[in-house]
Amino acid sequence: MAAANGSSELYSEMEVDAFRRLFPLRYHEQHLLKSVRTDARKLGSARDTTLALGAVASADGSALAKIGSTTMLAAIKMEVMTPTVECPDEGSIAIEFHMPPICSPLVRPGRPAEAASVISKQLSDTILSSGMIDLKELCLVGGKAAWMAYLDIYCLDADGSLFDAALLSAVAAFSHLNIPVVSLNEDGRIVLVSEDNVQLKLEKQPVNTEKRKLKLKSPPFSLTCLLHKNYILADPTAEEESIMETVVTVVLDSSYQLVSLYKPGGPVLAHTSVIQDCVALARRRMKELHSVLNEAISDMEVD
Amino acid sequence: MASKTGSTPATYSPSPATHKKKRIPIADVDWVRPDSRGFYQCRPAYLRTGAVSPAAGSAYAEFGNTKVIVSVFGPRESKKAMMYSDTGRLNCDVSYTTFATPNRGQGSDKKELSSMLHKALEGAIILESFPKTCVDVFALVLESGGSDLPVVISCASLALADAGILLYDLVASVSVSCVGKNLVIDPVSEEESYNDGSLMITCMPSRNQVTQLIVDGEWSTPKIHDAMELCLGACSKLGEVMRSCLKDVVTDLKE
């Protein structure tokens, strides 16, 4: 490789960078032959993941998730709605994923990125079908008022594995969510009950007695893998995703059940053995992410 | 969308049951600042560059509750529809997250901030240094705690410096509000909603030149003079804080 040249260090540095720009696929394949990736990771290992709960003070629940450089900020705001006639005792969740122009040079203001709507729909489907949240817990007054949880996820830095980071931040934001205490007004509107009023206002019974947390059953976690020839690369960076196009996303919940498997085309056709390997990698990753989430929750409770 | 009928139901945010006694400023009584600062005291600033990895330059600024991220991309190719120009172009965009304001979605009213940011920065950038290309400055306000535009402008100039774009000088910006009979510097959202007038200055501290001045509301001439003096003094202090932030990055690299 160019780095092995005997010439001066600066010259070989420039050669390596130029080679990386001009022949990116060969540059990555040279690394894969030695079972390593360009950032010295093993093929099946993911980048360092950190999670911080309560990043946004003005929202009812929020979380900041970082996988390597990919950064996602999720925040939940609760508003009141009238439930539908078909399900009078269920609330609702609205999930939206935004890619603002700061996150990547490919996103232009005024034109939402294509990836944003794809990931938005994927997230929505995954979270609702995983059964993590029981919509009946979002009910306030049967048939009259229920919570609508607006979950907005903003990508602050797009460096590959956007879906994984977004799902992690969404799950973390739900586990941080504190539902405010409210009561029903004479006009039939829901109003907030502030802490000093709880003893005084006896005629307006609060609809929920204390700031509740949602019960999350088996939160889902995901792992995105890249398929290239015979290699499976877990947790790709943006550079790797732009060169090798076949992506497989596996979503597992904490009881090791498969929630979703997503392989949107791509030049590499996957055998079932490859898919099983991806699922095995996802199981390992699920344990890591679950412990990261539990650590973040216990850190919050200590405060 | 999660709603079963297929259309978005109308929602409202539950408002507090009893109206908190709104402290409306009375003409003769001194205003008390909600975060107990002095009238001429700015919020402590937390600035950091290099927040976003794919950008040429980026900065994160936190002034009390106002949190802003700015990324700079470029110099890069202009859109093809634009004609040839032998000076560079500057393109600015400011957007709010949906949770930045206490009521969801209020940030979409603030579209004029993009052109105000453009006017504040274009005087400081040496546009001749990147002809035919364009520099994009994108700002995202994560949380709006008052005095948003000045924070965005200061953060943007830090991001431009981080990207290596040639500037005549760093640009620092501070605003002053006239609440009742007091002048308060660096107002929070509550003070901004009660003010009788506001004044914002964007200047280049070392050159002692003003790139943008915006005055709103009722002002008497002596008050404007006082407000301008206050702002210019605060701008030069903010300029020093920004410079030390940039120097810290270099000293960290050297170590």
Side-chain angles (χ1 to χ4, degrees):
Chain A
M1 272 292 296
N5 275 356
S7 31
S8 73
E9 270 188 26
L10 186 59
Y11 182 61
S12 20
E13 278 275 321
M14 281 179 59
E15 273 221 35
V16 170
D17 270 340
F19 190 80
R20 186 177 193 161
R21 290 291 187 96
L22 294 171
F23 307 104
L25 193 55
R26 275 166 51 187
Y27 179 77
H28 281 81
E29 281 180 349
Q30 293 278 2
H31 286 77
L32 292 177
L33 284 175
K34 310 267 166 92
S35 299
V36 84
R37 292 154 76 171
T38 53
D39 49 1
R41 275 191 282 159
K42 294 226 189 48
L43 295 190
S45 66
R47 292 170 287 182
D48 289 333
T49 312
T50 57
L51 200 50
L53 298 182
V56 176
S58 55
D60 300 308
S62 59
L64 180 73
K66 274 182 83 131
I67 299 186
S69 306
T70 303
T71 310
M72 297 280 167
L73 179 62
I76 303 179
K77 280 216 139 167
M78 307 289 280
E79 295 201 349
V80 182
M81 67 172 205
T82 31
T84 56
V85 177
E86 297 96 24
C87 317
D89 55 351
E90 280 186 4
S92 174
I93 306 177
I95 302 175
E96 219 181 310
F97 177 71
H98 307 255
M99 280 184 74
I102 56 166
C103 71
S104 150
L106 304 167
V107 180
R108 293 271 167 193
R111 255 174 134 211
E114 299 167 13
S117 31
V118 170
I119 294 180
S120 192
K121 182 84 175 57
Q122 246 188 303
L123 272 175
S124 196
D125 289 342
T126 307
I127 291 182
L128 294 172
S129 63
S130 71
M132 173 174 77
I133 296 177
D134 186 2
L135 292 178
K136 295 195 169 37
E137 288 197 36
L138 294 176
C139 178
L140 280 173
V141 179
K144 294 212 198 111
W147 285 118
M148 166 74 118
Y150 285 108
L151 170 64
D152 291 295
I153 305 176
Y154 279 84
C155 177
L156 301 179
D157 192 334
D159 193 21
S161 290
L162 298 180
F163 178 74
D164 294 348
L167 185 61
L168 183 62
S169 66
V171 169
F174 273 116
S175 54
H176 176 249
L177 178 65
N178 267 322
I179 303 184
V181 185
V182 289
S183 68
L184 194 57
N185 215 344
E186 301 93 24
D187 310 322
R189 273 181 84 90
I190 298 281
V191 286
L192 281 179
V193 175
S194 54
E195 280 86 35
D196 25 292
N197 278 7
V198 171
Q199 286 101 20
L200 299 174
K201 296 279 173 188
L202 293 171
E203 65 276 12
K204 290 198 207 121
Q205 283 297 320
V207 174
N208 46 355
T209 40
E210 73 274 329
K211 277 202 178 193
R212 276 190 309 123
K213 291 242 179 207
L214 283 181
K215 258 198 289 290
L216 300 181
K217 307 181 218 113
S218 52
F221 299 102
S222 78
L223 178 66
T224 305
C225 300
L226 220 46
L227 301 182
H228 179 68
K229 295 191 184 160
N230 294 335
Y231 304 108
I232 303 177
L233 284 75
D235 190 23
T237 60
E239 193 190 345
E240 292 168 342
E241 279 182 353
S242 62
I243 311 168
M244 302 171 245
E245 287 164 1
T246 315
V247 171
V248 174
T249 304
V250 179
V251 182
L252 297 175
D253 71 10
S254 48
S255 49
Y256 295 102
Q257 296 199 314
L258 185 64
V259 173
S260 125
L261 175 64
Y262 181 69
K263 179 188 182 295
V268 176
L269 303 175
H271 293 281
T272 36
S273 54
V274 170
I275 301 286
Q276 283 171 349
D277 290 339
C278 290
V279 175
L281 283 173
R283 287 170 74 111
R284 241 179 42 193
R285 179 71 172 149
M286 200 280 296
K287 284 189 219 131
E288 283 170 31
L289 289 177
H290 201 51
S291 68
V292 168
L293 180 63
N294 287 337
E295 223 184 282
I297 294 178
S298 57
D299 283 343
M300 276 292 298
E301 280 163 13
V302 166
D303 299 334
Chain B
M1 293 287 288
S3 103
K4 304 233 162 78
T5 53
S7 60
T8 327
T11 60
Y12 61 90
S13 186
S15 48
T18 51
H19 286 287
K20 255 177 18 182
K21 299 247 166 76
K22 288 215 173 123
R23 299 181 297 138
I24 302 177
I26 312 170
D28 299 330
V29 178
D30 273 342
W31 171 255
V32 175
R33 305 193 75 168
D35 48 358
S36 31
R37 274 186 282 152
F39 291 145
Y40 301 157
Q41 195 184 346
C42 290
R43 291 175 288 192
Y46 172 73
L47 298 163
R48 222 193 81 214
T49 54
V52 176
S53 52
S58 62
Y60 171 70
E62 208 176 289
F63 281 57
N65 275 335
T66 303
K67 302 181 173 101
V68 173
I69 293 190
V70 176
S71 293
V72 170
F73 294 103
R76 57 180 180 178
E77 195 187 334
S78 291
K79 284 182 264 184
K80 295 192 178 81
M82 304 236 186
M83 293 172 23
Y84 171 85
S85 91
D86 48 7
T87 57
R89 260 186 260 268
L90 175 65
N91 180 26
C92 296
D93 185 74
V94 178
S95 57
Y96 277 67
T97 57
T98 52
F99 43 83
T101 49
N103 291 324
R104 190 172 179 273
Q106 264 176 352
S108 49
D109 298 336
K110 315 249 177 134
K111 299 216 166 76
E112 70 276 6
L113 292 188
S114 306
S115 72
M116 285 156 87
L117 175 64
H118 185 281
K119 295 203 179 77
L121 293 176
E122 66 181 346
I125 302 181
I126 306 180
L127 294 169
E128 292 78 22
S129 63
F130 49 93
K132 299 181 277 188
T133 54
C134 145
V135 164
D136 290 319
V137 177
F138 299 133
L140 181 68
V141 180
L142 298 173
E143 207 180 320
S144 157
S147 224
D148 298 337
L149 185 58
V151 176
V152 169
I153 295 175
S154 314
C155 190
S157 95
L158 208 56
L160 283 166
D162 186 46
I165 309 279
L166 294 180
L167 300 170
Y168 289 114
D169 186 15
L170 283 179
V171 171
S173 169
V174 173
S175 75
V176 155
S177 269
C178 179
V179 182
K181 63 171 186 162
N182 306 115
L183 282 178
V184 292
I185 203 171
D186 200 15
V188 288
S189 343
E190 197 189 336
E191 292 165 344
E192 277 183 336
S193 58
Y194 293 143
N195 66 9
D196 301 319
S198 79
L199 181 141
M200 185 189 90
I201 285 195
T202 309
C203 80
M204 298 195 271
S206 340
R207 295 188 125 216
N208 222 7
Q209 290 178 328
V210 171
T211 60
Q212 188 186 45
L213 168 67
I214 299 181
V215 180
D216 261 319
E218 345 175 342
W219 289 93
S220 58
T221 318
K223 268 207 162 149
I224 286 203
H225 281 296
D226 292 338
M228 281 178 65
E229 293 292 331
L230 263 181
C231 278
L232 291 171
C235 281
S236 57
K237 293 214 187 88
L238 182 57
E240 282 167 24
V241 174
M242 287 162 69
R243 241 172 254 283
S244 65
C245 170
L246 289 170
K247 278 190 209 155
D248 286 341
V249 175
V250 176
T251 47
D252 283 343
L253 283 176
K254 281 195 184 147
E255 277 159 21

